[in-house]
Amino acid sequence: MDRKLSPSMMCVDYMSLGKTLETFALQGISFLHMDVMDGRFVPNFALGTDFCRKIRKACTIPLDLHLMVERPEEKLDWFSPQEGEIVSVHWESTNHMQRLLTQIRGYGAKAFVALNPATPFTVLDYLLDVIDGVLVMTVNPGFAGQKLVPSTLRKITDLRAYLDTNGRKDCEIEVDGNVSFENIPKMRDAGANIFVGGTSSVFHSGATLGENIARIKELLQ
Ligand code: DX5
Ligand code: ZN
């Protein structure tokens, strides 16, 4: 499966937003990861509907909407998911996951279930026909700049095997949280194929954006 990079837009330097988007477009970046936080599902607040709309207008890279909100089904319309975009919703955020995933696919978007570090992937048992991917949280969601939860690496390996043996070789695995230069090879070898790059890689200080992307691309080969 193709390995793709999805830079975490909550980590972008707003002073150079335009230039950053130009660089992403030139570099053929696959997705833009939008961390939406409601201050309830996770303690923090981040990116809202206006920001997402403005980014959609400013460039053609599909959004990768990571909804860390309670009852995302009530807010889905506000984000107007587009064909080819990813929408990830957390297992714990709704009482009606099957309906919600079907709703997301109804927009033409890819439906992903997001799993917190403590959430087992067996919750997917009766959802395998309505998902396009799984977002494995490799830190507890809510904040950039955290350290990897080590047991999540085993989860990626086991999840890949589970998807493959259950007829879903095509189902994508996205990883989010401390996707660093050091952790990318481990996540890649475990079977992840979409990588969210935040302060640990794409926006790592000490090198330019272009240098960081080049380094990541090499690790994703
Ligand atoms: C965590 C967020 C991540 C995070 C990734 O809740 O979903 O996108 O910002 O960035 P780093 O690399 O800082 O972990
Ligand atoms: Zn995220």
Side-chain angles (χ1 to χ4, degrees):
M1 211 181 294
D2 270 4
R3 301 203 181 101
K4 299 161 209 161
L5 180 60
S6 186
S8 171
M9 295 304 286
M10 75 177 279
C11 302
V12 76
D13 170 11
Y14 288 96
M15 296 303 285
S16 42
L17 180 58
K19 275 229 155 324
T20 301
L21 291 176
E22 273 173 30
T23 305
F24 288 163
L26 282 170
Q27 293 285 338
I29 293 299
S30 306
F31 294 102
L32 297 177
H33 188 82
M34 312 299 280
D35 282 312
V36 180
M37 305 186 190
D38 68 351
R40 287 179 69 86
F41 184 74
V42 288
N44 205 357
F45 291 94
L47 314 185
T49 50
D50 281 350
F51 186 71
C52 292
R53 204 170 301 128
K54 283 174 184 161
I55 295 294
R56 259 195 210 109
K57 268 198 172 168
C59 75
T60 56
I61 303 171
L63 301 191
D64 165 20
L65 290 159
H66 178 191
L67 302 183
M68 287 166 272
V69 305
E70 295 282 359
R71 311 235 175 247
E73 59 270 33
E74 292 170 11
K75 290 286 176 270
L76 214 49
D77 251 350
W78 289 56
F79 288 92
S80 45
Q82 304 289 306
E83 182 111 27
E85 292 186 345
I86 294 174
V87 180
S88 290
V89 286
H90 277 260
W91 173 253
E92 290 82 3
S93 67
T94 177
N95 289 329
H96 305 287
M97 185 53 97
Q98 201 277 348
R99 182 191 290 153
L100 175 55
L101 294 167
T102 309
Q103 203 182 333
I104 292 169
R105 280 180 155 187
Y107 291 93
K110 298 166 197 268
F112 280 38
V113 176
L115 303 175
N116 281 339
T119 310
F121 59 77
T122 47
V123 299
L124 304 172
D125 270 357
Y126 299 98
L127 296 171
L128 287 174
D129 57 335
V130 285
I131 58 171
D132 299 293
V134 184
L135 175 63
V136 175
M137 289 306 305
T138 42
V139 299
N140 283 294
F143 301 94
Q146 303 183 78
K147 281 267 151 286
L148 175 87
V149 175
S151 61
T152 59
L153 288 177
R154 180 164 57 87
K155 189 195 279 186
I156 301 164
T157 307
D158 295 347
L159 172 61
R160 186 69 268 161
Y162 164 85
L163 293 169
D164 291 353
T165 54
N166 284 286
R168 289 304 313 267
K169 279 190 194 299
D170 61 314
C171 187
E172 311 206 74
I173 298 182
E174 177 172 10
V175 280
D176 186 11
N178 197 200
V179 180
S180 61
F181 300 114
E182 189 195 340
N183 290 329
I184 287 172
K186 299 178 199 167
M187 295 164 162
R188 173 200 66 200
D189 294 347
N193 75 291
I194 304 177
F195 299 79
V196 177
T199 61
S200 324
S201 53
V202 174
F203 299 106
H204 195 268
S205 54
T208 67
L209 189 64
E211 287 165 346
N212 285 337
I213 294 172
R215 207 171 151 193
I216 298 165
K217 279 187 172 174
E218 226 161 87
L219 297 172
L220 295 189
Q221 270 174 16

